[in-house]
Amino acid sequence: LINCLIHFYKRTFYALKMSGMTEEWEEGTTENSTKYFVKIKNFGKKMKTWANSRKICSEPFFVRSSKFELIICPNGVDDDSENYVSVYIQNLSDFEVKINFEIAIESKNVSWKNIQIEGLSDDGTCEQIGDEKFYLHDDLINDSVLDQGTLTVSVEISLAWEELASDVKELKQEVVNLKNMMQTMDTFLTSKFTALESSMKSSLPCPECPICFEEMKPPTRIVQCRSGHLICQQCRDVKEIPSLLHQLQHLQHLGGGGEGGEVCPTARTPGTSRNG
């Protein structure tokens, strides 16, 4: 059984990135995968002289938007793993990923399938997944893995899933902005429609009753005689008033009346003004 442990370290641990100490390159890169190599010089000496937990970090490399780093500890990460080479993969992205990956030194390898790795936290810590007892020093020497003291470590990563938190955040903000814009437009259009409706109401002509000469505005009810003339209902209903009856009789005499002897109160002789 491969001894695979998940370790969560602060990035304040001493990590060495010295110019000329490593050679690094990528091979077989596709949209969702890559194979990254780190060649470390004088590794045999580092196994003997370095304290445990001292580590070498590769340059960051990418698979799509996800950012990774390969960690190699020549003499383990603690007292328990001393005299072993420890190897880890680290997610430097600010979002969570799920990956398949394999770390190898020559023919010796260790792999993980569909492993989920958290991204950088707010306090700068990050999750590392790997094997703290990957290669015993004695086995490494007996296997003749060192090439004149130089060791090459590779990691092959394929991306199963990535949570683009930053993109999601931007999209959510865009949705909020669009909602605000729509609310602003709705308020603007509502005010414009209200103003237009008010303008149309004020600009439309209002008919005038030919009896009382009042504008027949709502809620006044308008009625129509058989000749098509319009009067207000109130004037139609008060024909029993003597003054109006006299006027109606006078108008009947001038207009000749309507069908069935009904009077059209709006009938006038030619040239007669509405006000007299």
Side-chain angles (χ1 to χ4, degrees):
L1 180 65
I2 297 174
N3 184 12
C4 302
L5 298 175
I6 297 177
H7 293 274
F8 194 70
Y9 291 113
K10 287 188 178 295
R11 290 182 58 78
T12 51
F13 272 36
Y14 181 64
L16 195 58
K17 286 186 180 179
M18 290 181 61
S19 176
M21 175 176 287
T22 65
E23 295 178 15
E24 303 179 25
W25 67 95
E26 287 183 81
E27 291 181 3
T29 301
T30 67
E31 183 181 2
N32 292 314
S33 66
T34 191
K35 189 170 185 179
Y36 197 82
F37 294 84
V38 178
K39 186 175 183 180
I40 308 167
K41 300 176 182 179
N42 297 318
F43 194 82
K45 183 178 180 180
K46 294 176 178 60
M47 290 194 304
K48 297 176 181 178
T49 60
W50 279 25
N52 59 53
S53 79
R54 190 177 181 186
K55 57 186 177 180
I56 300 168
C57 298
S58 74
E59 293 296 327
F61 58 95
F62 289 85
V63 180
R64 300 194 69 172
S65 300
S66 302
K67 185 179 181 182
F68 300 101
E69 189 176 58
L70 180 61
I71 309 296
I72 304 104
C73 298
N75 197 24
V77 295
D78 52 27
D79 292 341
D80 185 55
S81 58
E82 194 169 318
N83 295 318
Y84 283 87
V85 176
S86 304
V87 290
Y88 298 90
I89 193 71
Q90 183 167 262
N91 179 20
L92 298 180
S93 312
D94 58 358
F95 49 83
E96 188 176 313
V97 297
K98 182 181 284 187
I99 59 174
N100 305 308
F101 73 98
E102 178 183 274
I103 300 176
I105 297 177
E106 293 290 342
S107 61
K108 187 174 179 62
N109 60 72
V110 60
S111 62
W112 288 261
K113 299 292 184 183
N114 289 320
I115 190 73
Q116 197 163 305
I117 311 180
E118 298 289 338
L120 283 171
S121 62
D122 293 337
D123 63 358
T125 59
C126 59
E127 189 176 18
Q128 299 174 349
I129 296 181
D131 189 352
E132 65 178 4
K133 295 182 178 181
F134 177 59
Y135 218 140
L136 183 64
H137 287 179
D138 290 343
D139 291 342
L140 190 146
I141 293 170
N142 292 333
D143 293 341
S144 301
V145 172
L146 292 175
D147 180 13
Q148 296 181 350
T150 298
L151 182 73
T152 300
V153 184
S154 67
V155 57
E156 187 170 5
I157 297 180
S158 64
L159 191 64
W161 172 82
E162 65 181 358
E163 180 188 42
L164 297 181
S166 57
D167 289 351
V168 171
K169 185 177 180 179
E170 290 176 6
L171 287 172
K172 286 182 178 180
Q173 186 58 48
E174 287 182 12
V175 171
V176 171
N177 293 340
L178 285 172
K179 285 183 177 180
N180 292 338
M181 187 183 299
M182 290 177 67
Q183 289 177 353
T184 302
M185 290 181 65
D186 183 65
T187 303
F188 174 76
L189 290 174
T190 300
S191 65
K192 287 296 182 183
F193 280 127
T194 302
L196 179 61
E197 186 179 21
S198 176
S199 174
M200 289 177 65
K201 285 182 178 180
S202 62
S203 62
L204 288 174
C206 186
E208 192 177 77
C209 177
I211 300 300
C212 64
F213 302 107
E214 295 290 337
E215 288 185 343
M216 293 184 287
K217 296 179 179 180
T220 302
R221 298 190 65 182
I222 301 174
V223 295
Q224 189 177 36
C225 74
R226 293 184 180 180
S227 298
H229 302 115
L230 303 177
I231 62 173
C232 67
Q233 186 178 17
Q234 186 177 4
C235 287
R236 187 199 67 178
D237 293 342
V238 294
K239 291 180 181 179
E240 67 278 6
I241 299 176
S243 58
L244 285 178
L245 182 60
H246 175 73
Q247 182 183 29
L248 292 172
Q249 288 174 345
H250 177 67
L251 291 174
Q252 183 184 23
H253 174 71
L254 294 175
E259 225 178 276
E262 290 187 7
V263 175
C264 173
T266 59
R268 289 181 172 79
T269 57
T272 306
S273 68
R274 188 168 59 180
N275 295 321

